[in-house]
Amino acid sequence: MTFVATPFAILFGVTVLLWLACRRHDGAKLAVLLIASLVFYGHDHWPVLGLLAAYCGVDWAVAGWIARGRQPRLALASGIAFNLGVLAYWKYTPLLIGTLAGVSGSALPAWIDSWIVPAGLSFYALTGIAYLVDVYRRQVAAEPSLTRFALYLSFFPHLMAGPILRAREFLPALQPGAMPDRPQAPLEAALLIGRGYFKKMVLADRIAVAVDPFFLHPGTAATAEVWALPYLYLYTFQIYFDFSGYTDIARGLALLFGFRWPDNFNLPYLATSVREYWQRWHITLSRFLRDYLYVPLGGNRGGAGRTAVNLMLTMLVGGLWHGGRWSFVLWGAPHGVYLLVHRGWSHTAIARTLARSTGAAAYLWWAVCVALTFHAVCVGFALFRPTTLGAAAACLRQCVERRGPLFAGGSADLSLWILLAMYGLLWWMARQVVQHALDREASVPVSTDGAWVVGASHYPFVRGAAWGTAAALLALAILLAPSGAPPQFIYFQF
Amino acid sequence: MLSRSLATKLPAAVGCVLAIALLAGLAEAFLRRFPLSEQEPFLGAASPRRGILAADDAFGVRYRSFDDFAADNAERLRPFLPLAAPGPPLWAFFGTSFVQAPGMLGDTLRARLPSRRMFYLGRNEDLLVRFAQIALLLEEGLRPERLFVVFVPGDLASLGAQPLATVEVTEHGALGYRPRLPAGAGGHLVTGSALARTVWFRIGGHVGNPGFDPHELYEHLDDVLLDDARRPFANLARVAQAHAVPVTVVLIPGYHQVMRGASYEFQDRLAAALTELGFDMCDPRAAFARAASPDLYIPDRHFSPAGNKVLADALLSHLAARGVVVPDQQGASAR
């Protein structure tokens, strides 16, 4: 089930009603949310519930084993091996078979075509690993209740595509007496949900209609005359709006049940370096890779050579995590190289001089850095979106070789560019208004999304406008979405 | 107390209304310039669609001229020009992707019957446009040995939703429909506002025959739809008779009928109506029932090579049973 499916609206409505009806009873609330999560996950394919149940049971039991202190290292290794082993089996079997068939020249078995990776597996496997490591590091206590742990791992807003939550960000809120009994920040929740649906159903899905035909056939006669760069720009925006839209909805839904979760995005395409980009894009995956892979590998503690190896390895694994395609691995490689180049560059005298520039020069340098970073990210997505290495190479080649008009086919759809410009302008204006309101209220801390709501809480007009914006965005998401069944969230396939 | 409450609530209400008005205004401007693609056939002269059609009393639509048609289909038509040229007997097929798409019935028969030229343009078009195409080609000299109209029940869905009475051709030559409008002020609102029109379309209010349910097409052939289907067929019968071209109508069973036991009410009622008009009806349901297997289909529920073989076999058997000379697979006469 997805957030854009009609059955989800029914499930969500029923769940909210039941949750409100039993909100004074922790056990009942726990049961309602867990059952809703299982229905959400199993709705399209009930057998996958067995896999989710296995993850819940094994991770819970292994954490208990670690906490008991008997051979905790062995317990941790066993738990991680289980999480990664099952993940690898489902995600990388087709890659392995396909690669072996390619090397040996034999035909692919027919069952490869019908291989389906259970949705959300990559996310709950990482959540489970993070939990086990945190228990091992004694950063969090092992959860004694299997039910509570199962809800932590499987709660429907974050189950399919994150945010990848650490235990301390969610488990404490599930403890007896600590479970919320009312929505938290309903205005913020409404804004997040309205914005999330608009991003997904209008911006991302309309772009999908325009760019999908091109990315099915890069390098073929059908697209030989098409300049790929506008398509790459559009896809770069599509994946951002799709994934950040999902995250907005997930965080908004969690707030309605009283849980506050970390954001996954912070204007990543305004990053001035790829290093900063990774602090703004899929933040919870970045920190997972940092804390559970890069740092344990030695991080930057072993000299320049070792640091380079660790960085490259981390980015390649990050790429491979997305799925069983060599193009995903290849997507991680340039990001590793970008990070290394940036690391070398930032130690140069000219970089330090430019960073200290002021006035117009500072703005110009900022713009240059943002543009360079954005295009570096786009190059990465040229490897990420096509399904084969050949198609990725053709896509990159068609970005630099223009044989036809500037815009052709879906990229020539003026409505898309206007829509993106309108959204960007409105977002900027809204941000200015709220910033102005906050500037008059010195005591109010400025944060990302929270600031909008804090500002609104002090000014009835802004509060009303925020409610109106949330309602209008939700309605417009339904009205302006392309017709037909909405496409799946991109990150559900990972 | 009341004034304090009002002092808080009024600005909030004003803010809420203004925010909604601002976003609705922007959406209105956007939709006026860029209407949703699903609305384009209903926009009349304002539709960005362009075509080469004109309104026609008999078939609903007709081509403006053969030259326009030939220019629009230049590559596809080239092997068959001039239309009246002598040559091996020609079978002319008109139907949806089940005939036209690569590997489907057209290609299957072309491979099996090299002694016949198989005419099909490889384009999937609206049902009414297909009728207009047949009339135009016969008028322009195409003389097939036999003409085949092939369709699956789903092909009638568009006519079911938009009855002939709602069909129109825009001044730019595109096929369109008159949308159903709400009564009274609502009608003016939907006509005047792009946003209101979008709401009306999203709730399905624009559909010409709101009682039509495409999911019930197998079980229940709507009377309006049956009458609307009969009209262009009656005119086709007249045109075909005038040119002495026999017509076989092939009713391909739907996936749900073959694999899930759905009713054949659709075929039964339509076949009865078309037989009255003098058409030769080919209903291969028995052949598909005998062969029923998922192997007959590809994932998008078009026929696999096995499914196309069943269909081709059934059609050739049908023709042989009616005394039509049908060459066998090697091109020799089977009868």
Side-chain angles (χ1 to χ4, degrees):
Chain A
M1 196 183 288
T2 80
F3 295 157
V4 289
T6 308
F8 174 72
I10 298 166
L11 175 69
F12 179 68
V14 171
T15 306
V16 167
L17 288 178
L18 290 173
W19 182 79
L20 288 172
C22 61
R23 62 185 178 153
R24 305 275 177 229
H25 308 281
D26 283 351
K29 275 186 295 190
L30 209 60
V32 165
L33 296 184
L34 184 58
I35 290 169
S37 300
L38 297 180
V39 172
F40 176 82
Y41 192 58
H43 177 264
D44 295 326
H45 194 53
W46 289 101
V48 293
L49 280 181
L51 186 66
L52 181 60
Y55 265 92
C56 291
V58 170
D59 286 343
W60 174 77
V62 169
W65 178 10
I66 294 170
R68 282 193 293 277
R70 276 175 290 180
Q71 297 181 304
R73 212 178 172 83
L74 175 64
L76 177 65
S78 307
I80 291 176
F82 168 79
N83 280 270
L84 289 182
V86 177
L87 178 70
Y89 168 74
W90 282 104
K91 292 196 82 161
Y92 307 119
T93 298
L95 176 70
L96 186 65
I97 301 289
T99 305
L100 288 176
V103 169
S104 65
S106 55
L108 277 176
W111 52 262
I112 286 285
D113 290 336
S114 53
W115 188 274
I116 297 172
V117 181
L121 174 60
S122 309
F123 287 91
Y124 58 76
L126 292 198
T127 306
I129 291 171
Y131 170 69
L132 294 178
V133 174
D134 286 353
V135 171
Y136 177 79
R137 289 174 176 169
R138 297 184 186 281
Q139 290 173 347
V140 67
E143 172 55 53
S145 160
L146 175 59
T147 316
R148 263 193 290 279
F149 178 74
L151 182 60
Y152 156 64
L153 204 64
S154 66
F155 187 36
F156 67 84
H158 78 93
L159 175 62
M160 303 290 248
I164 300 165
L165 296 173
R166 288 178 172 174
R168 62 172 175 267
E169 288 168 332
F170 189 28
L171 261 177
L174 300 179
Q175 300 307 312
M179 274 194 89
D181 59 2
R182 69 192 66 187
Q184 191 177 139
L187 175 54
E188 184 179 354
L191 271 173
L192 282 170
I193 291 170
R195 188 178 71 174
Y197 275 107
F198 189 86
K199 281 179 177 176
K200 163 64 180 162
M201 295 173 69
V202 180
L203 301 174
D205 288 356
R206 288 178 77 113
I207 295 175
V209 170
V211 304
D212 281 354
F214 170 78
F215 283 109
L216 283 176
H217 309 288
T220 65
T223 60
E225 301 294 314
V226 176
W227 191 33
L229 194 58
Y231 282 94
L232 200 51
Y233 287 155
L234 285 173
Y235 178 69
T236 304
F237 282 111
Q238 181 202 348
I239 194 167
Y240 168 68
F241 285 123
D242 193 283
F243 194 14
S244 71
Y246 167 85
T247 306
D248 283 349
I249 298 168
R251 293 178 63 229
L253 294 174
L255 279 174
L256 288 182
F257 291 107
F259 306 112
R260 181 174 285 282
W261 291 345
D263 200 354
N264 240 353
F265 296 91
N266 181 20
L267 307 176
Y269 297 153
L270 292 182
T272 53
S273 69
V274 173
R275 181 171 180 270
E276 188 188 344
Y277 168 80
W278 279 104
Q279 291 163 353
R280 290 164 167 257
W281 171 272
H282 204 173
I283 296 166
T284 56
L285 175 68
S286 301
R287 70 180 191 184
F288 178 93
L289 292 172
R290 181 194 65 204
D291 294 347
Y292 300 100
L293 184 61
Y294 179 67
V295 171
L297 282 172
N300 56 4
R301 298 190 301 275
R306 184 67 206 175
T307 301
V309 169
N310 292 343
L311 264 179
M312 285 304 295
L313 205 57
T314 302
M315 297 317 294
L316 290 173
V317 169
L320 187 64
W321 169 83
H322 286 83
R325 282 197 336 230
W326 289 116
S327 55
F328 287 142
V329 182
L330 205 59
W331 170 74
H335 277 279
V337 173
Y338 296 153
L339 290 171
L340 289 175
V341 169
H342 176 261
R343 205 176 165 78
W345 160 258
S346 57
H347 287 109
T348 61
I350 187 168
R352 283 196 292 271
T353 306
L354 286 166
R356 283 196 299 269
S357 56
T358 55
Y363 277 113
L364 186 64
W365 179 236
W366 175 85
V368 168
C369 290
V370 168
L372 276 175
T373 305
F374 177 75
H375 283 84
V377 168
C378 285
V379 169
F381 282 133
L383 303 170
F384 188 88
R385 174 62 179 85
T387 51
T388 64
L389 292 179
C395 183
L396 278 174
R397 193 174 58 246
Q398 283 180 253
C399 281
V400 288
E401 280 179 15
R402 185 167 69 82
R403 288 192 275 170
L406 286 173
F407 299 95
S411 73
D413 182 353
L414 184 62
S415 72
L416 279 181
W417 302 99
I418 299 256
L419 204 54
L420 288 173
M422 280 169 71
Y423 180 81
L425 188 65
L426 277 175
W427 171 87
W428 181 80
M429 283 168 57
R431 202 169 168 90
Q432 296 308 309
V433 168
V434 174
Q435 191 64 55
H436 180 69
L438 290 176
D439 286 347
R440 291 166 56 188
E441 190 69 55
S443 63
V444 175
V446 178
S447 61
T448 50
D449 287 327
W452 298 55
V453 180
V454 174
S457 69
H458 288 258
Y459 301 97
F461 178 84
V462 177
R463 187 170 64 243
W467 276 111
T469 301
L473 284 176
L474 196 56
L476 290 179
I478 296 165
L479 291 178
L480 299 184
S483 58
Q488 185 64 278
F489 283 97
I490 292 174
Y491 263 71
F492 275 26
Q493 64 180 294
F494 305 139
Chain B
M1 193 60 141
L2 181 66
S3 60
R4 262 178 67 181
S5 169
L6 196 65
T8 309
K9 285 180 178 166
L10 191 62
V14 170
C16 183
V17 169
L18 282 181
I20 291 174
L22 172 68
L23 289 174
L26 286 171
E28 173 72 25
F30 179 80
L31 287 168
R32 277 179 187 268
R33 176 68 182 78
F34 305 107
L36 297 183
S37 59
E38 77 222 43
Q39 296 176 12
E40 287 177 358
F42 296 87
L43 297 178
S47 171
R49 294 193 173 190
R50 299 291 181 270
I52 53 172
L53 301 172
D56 183 78
D57 288 339
F59 291 103
V61 299
R62 63 176 169 81
Y63 283 95
R64 278 199 299 232
S65 73
F66 181 75
D67 289 344
D68 285 345
F69 171 76
D72 194 38
N73 293 278
E75 287 302 315
R76 302 162 196 271
L77 208 53
R78 185 167 296 140
F80 306 102
L81 292 177
L83 293 175
L90 182 141
W91 286 5
F93 284 86
F94 298 88
T96 53
S97 48
F98 278 86
V99 172
Q100 313 279 357
M104 295 293 140
L105 183 63
D107 283 355
T108 304
L109 287 173
R110 185 174 279 168
R112 282 182 63 170
L113 301 176
S115 62
R116 294 292 190 279
R117 285 188 301 152
M118 298 296 167
F119 177 99
Y120 49 96
L121 293 177
R123 289 179 81 165
N124 192 3
E125 287 158 309
D126 186 273
L127 186 69
L128 298 177
V129 176
R130 275 180 247 156
F131 283 112
Q133 213 167 78
I134 297 171
L136 178 74
L137 287 165
L138 293 181
E139 295 294 341
E140 292 296 324
L142 186 73
R143 287 295 173 269
E145 179 187 22
R146 182 163 285 264
L147 197 148
F148 297 87
V149 178
V150 186
F151 59 96
V152 289
D155 291 348
L156 279 186
S158 63
L159 193 59
Q162 294 302 145
L164 275 179
T166 69
V167 172
E168 65 176 12
V169 177
T170 69
E171 63 187 54
H172 302 297
L175 178 66
Y177 309 100
R178 278 183 293 279
R180 204 166 57 89
L181 296 173
H188 292 293
L189 188 62
V190 168
T191 311
S193 157
L195 193 58
R197 183 182 67 223
T198 303
V199 173
W200 182 242
F201 272 66
R202 279 284 140 111
I203 60 174
H206 66 292
V207 174
N209 180 5
F212 173 74
D213 181 357
H215 299 104
E216 292 181 0
L217 199 56
Y218 300 127
E219 293 82 14
H220 171 68
L221 182 54
D222 186 272
D223 286 337
V224 178
L225 173 56
L226 183 60
D227 286 344
D228 275 355
R230 203 196 313 254
R231 198 171 110 195
F233 269 109
N235 286 302
L236 172 65
R238 181 177 50 77
V239 172
Q241 203 170 22
H243 296 287
V245 175
V247 180
T248 295
V249 178
V250 185
L251 296 173
I252 300 178
Y255 174 86
H256 285 78
Q257 291 173 316
V258 175
M259 298 304 300
R260 300 193 181 159
S263 162
Y264 278 90
E265 165 85 10
F266 172 89
Q267 278 92 336
D268 292 339
R269 288 197 70 194
L270 193 65
L274 298 187
T275 304
E276 275 178 26
L277 295 171
F279 288 106
D280 170 40
M281 300 301 301
C282 173
D283 184 349
R285 74 174 79 168
F288 278 98
R290 283 193 298 276
S293 152
D295 295 341
L296 299 180
Y297 294 91
I298 56 178
D300 70 359
R301 294 183 179 173
H302 280 78
F303 288 135
S304 65
N308 279 301
K309 181 176 183 309
V310 172
L311 179 59
D313 286 345
L315 177 58
L316 294 179
S317 301
H318 171 87
L319 293 173
R322 272 148 188 79
V324 180
V325 175
V326 179
D328 64 15
Q329 290 185 34
Q330 285 71 43
S333 175
R335 199 198 112 83

